Amino acid sequence: MMAEQEQAKNDLAGEIHIEDQIEGLRLAEDLHYARNRASFGKPSLDLLGEYLGLYDHLWQIATASMPVDPIQEANLFTHQMLLECRADLARTMLLLLRTHLIEAHAQTRRAIECCVWARRVHLVPTLVKEWLHIDMQTPSSRTWKENIKASLLFPSDSPQLRALRERYQVTSRCVHPFRFSVEGRTAIQQDADGTIGLTYSFFDPEDIRVYLPTRFLWTLQTHDLIFNVFEEVFADEIEIQAERWRHYRAQVTNAQTEVGRFWIATTERMAARKRETGGQ
C-alpha cells in the first residue's frame, strides 16, 4: 500500500496542461483529493463524520427549547454561529484533502471567530441588534467595536480561550502573505532552448504535504476547543440533556485517540522507511 501511495504521489508531480486553466485546476484537485482520501483511510474519515455529527447533536440540543423571541435573546445569532462552525470544519477538510493546507487555515480562523463572537453576543445580547444592522456599506458602531475587541473575545483568565487565541494567531499568519505561506510554490525552470522561466503551483510543496495528518488532527483539536466555548453558550440547554451530551463527546474523544495512534504509527513507519532508503 505504501509503494502504491508513493507512486500516486509521483504521478501528481507534473502539471496538468489543458487550455481551460480552471478545469485543469479542478482535475488536479480531484487527483489530490483521491490520493489523500485513500491515504487517510476509513478510521480518519469516520472520525471527521463523528465531529460533524457532534455539531448535529449540539444543534438538536440547542434548538430543543428556543425562546419566543430568538432575536431578542440572541439565540438566532448563536445558533447561526454554531452552523457556521460546522460548515467551516467541512470546508477545511475539503481543502486539506485537495492539498490546500495553507488555505484551509482561513476556514479554521473563521470558525474560531464565529464561536468567540457567539460567546460575546451571548454575554451581551443587545449586541445582536448592532450585528443585524452592519452591512457592506454601514460601518460597525463604536459600541460594537468596544465590545468585540480581542481582550474581550479572548479573555486572559480563560485557559481555553487563551488556547483558541494562540490557534487564531497561527491561522492568521498562514492567511497573510508571509514567506512561509507561499514558500515552495514558485520555481525557476530552464527550457531546452536555454530560456529561463518561472513556474507556479497551486498546491503546497511535498515538504508541507507531509504535515497533512498533523493538520487534520490539529484542526479537530481546535474544534474541541470550539465545542468547549459552545458548551458555555448553550449551558442551560445542555444541562437538560447533560448525560447524553457527555456520552457523545466521550465517544468522539475515544475515536480521536485511536486515529491519533494510527497516524503516529504510520509516521514512524514512513520515517523508518526513509532512513532505510537513505532519504529516497
Side-chain angles (χ1 to χ4, degrees):
M1 183 64 179
M2 294 295 295
E4 294 173 358
Q5 291 174 6
E6 188 67 25
Q7 181 60 45
K9 178 180 71 176
N10 293 335
D11 291 342
L12 290 171
E15 296 284 342
I16 296 179
H17 295 287
I18 63 174
E19 189 171 337
D20 187 333
Q21 295 186 32
I22 300 301
E23 181 64 6
L25 175 58
R26 184 194 68 79
L27 290 171
E29 285 185 330
D30 286 348
L31 290 172
H32 282 274
Y33 176 85
R35 182 196 74 178
N36 290 329
R37 187 178 176 91
S39 67
F40 264 44
K42 188 176 184 300
S44 296
L45 297 173
D46 286 347
L47 177 60
L48 173 56
E50 293 276 3
Y51 270 84
L52 293 173
L54 193 58
Y55 271 110
D56 295 337
H57 290 312
L58 184 54
W59 170 260
Q60 292 169 6
I61 291 172
T63 56
S65 56
M66 286 284 282
V68 175
D69 189 348
I71 294 179
Q72 182 68 29
E73 299 298 325
N75 288 70
L76 183 64
F77 179 83
T78 54
H79 286 63
Q80 176 77 37
M81 293 302 102
L82 177 65
L83 293 177
E84 293 297 332
C85 288
R86 185 190 190 281
D88 288 332
L89 174 58
R91 284 190 288 258
T92 299
M93 291 305 176
L94 183 58
L95 285 165
L96 286 178
L97 288 169
R98 287 176 170 171
T99 316
H100 296 307
L101 278 70
I102 296 297
E103 287 77 4
H105 277 305
Q107 295 299 317
T108 303
R109 181 181 189 267
R110 187 173 182 274
I112 295 172
E113 207 165 51
C114 285
C115 87
V116 296
W117 278 33
R119 176 183 178 275
R120 187 63 190 153
V121 172
H122 172 71
L123 294 173
V124 188
T126 54
L127 288 175
V128 78
K129 294 181 180 179
E130 295 276 341
W131 177 75
L132 286 169
H133 289 92
I134 297 171
D135 57 32
M136 295 294 289
Q137 288 75 41
T138 306
S140 53
S141 68
R142 187 179 189 86
T143 299
W144 176 267
K145 292 176 181 177
E146 287 297 316
N147 278 279
I148 304 293
K149 54 188 178 182
S151 60
L152 295 175
L153 293 176
F154 302 100
S156 58
D157 60 348
S158 171
Q160 64 188 18
L161 287 168
R162 283 203 313 270
L164 270 178
R165 182 172 189 174
E166 291 173 1
R167 288 169 181 256
Y168 183 80
Q169 290 171 337
V170 168
T171 57
S172 296
R173 287 194 292 270
C174 289
V175 169
H176 298 312
F178 289 116
R179 176 190 56 79
F180 53 79
S181 71
V182 299
E183 193 170 21
R185 299 200 175 185
T186 56
I188 302 296
Q189 176 179 292
Q190 183 172 2
D191 296 333
D193 61 0
T195 303
I196 302 297
L198 190 67
T199 63
Y200 179 84
S201 173
F202 285 98
F203 303 96
D204 298 309
E206 283 297 330
D207 58 344
I208 291 181
R209 294 179 202 176
V210 298
Y211 295 112
L212 183 56
T214 305
R215 300 288 176 89
F216 171 77
L217 291 171
W218 187 88
T219 299
L220 295 182
Q221 290 163 358
T222 301
H223 280 266
D224 284 331
L225 293 170
I226 289 173
F227 279 123
N228 290 344
V229 173
F230 277 117
E231 283 185 349
E232 178 183 344
V233 173
F234 298 118
D236 293 340
E237 293 85 348
I238 290 174
E239 185 177 2
I240 299 172
Q241 304 183 52
E243 185 175 348
R244 177 186 175 198
W245 175 247
R246 284 196 297 268
H247 170 74
Y248 286 139
R249 288 215 69 177
Q251 182 176 309
V252 172
T253 299
N254 292 336
Q256 185 196 106
T257 300
E258 291 302 313
V259 170
R261 289 171 180 166
F262 164 78
W263 279 115
I264 290 172
T266 300
T267 302
E268 290 174 347
R269 286 198 302 271
M270 291 175 65
R273 183 171 176 269
K274 189 172 182 179
R275 288 193 298 270
E276 292 172 359
T277 59
Q280 298 299 315

